[in-house]
Amino acid sequence: ILGVRDIHADHAASHIGKAQGIVTCLRATPYHSTRQKVFLPMDICMLHGVSQEDFIRGKQEKDVRDVIYDIASQAHVHLEHVR
């Protein structure tokens, strides 16, 4: 965008974009849940025994929080790559 042509800058921007996308998805989860939609990775949900219905019903049990934590941890990993 600023005319920077550097492979390292491109790599960092890629990881920042991925982290931002993950965070945006997490932040939008309550909104989407009220509309009967869940856009979280089902493999992570299944790993913790959480269903889409748990999010739609607004459950805040430990298993649901663990799903959110695991997904947020992926964003953190991307930020660590940038550093």
Side-chain angles (χ1 to χ4, degrees):
I1 193 168
L2 296 174
V4 175
R5 300 205 186 277
D6 179 45
I7 190 82
H8 300 296
D10 289 346
H11 189 77
S14 173
H15 281 292
I16 290 171
K18 290 173 187 172
Q20 181 62 43
I22 292 168
V23 169
T24 299
C25 183
L26 286 175
R27 289 183 65 209
T29 296
Y31 171 82
H32 290 298
S33 294
T34 62
R35 283 148 183 80
Q36 311 292 312
K37 298 185 185 305
V38 179
F39 297 107
L40 300 176
M42 291 316 313
D43 58 334
I44 295 175
C45 293
M46 290 183 341
L47 182 68
H48 293 283
V50 175
S51 68
Q52 289 182 343
E53 192 67 29
D54 292 332
F55 285 99
I56 291 170
R57 290 184 179 158
K59 291 188 178 179
Q60 296 188 10
E61 297 169 354
K62 182 183 181 320
D63 294 342
V64 172
R65 290 192 314 266
D66 288 343
V67 169
I68 299 300
Y69 180 84
D70 281 357
I71 296 170
S73 294
Q74 290 300 312
H76 186 261
V77 167
H78 286 292
L79 289 178
E80 287 299 316
H81 284 304
V82 172
R83 288 186 186 131

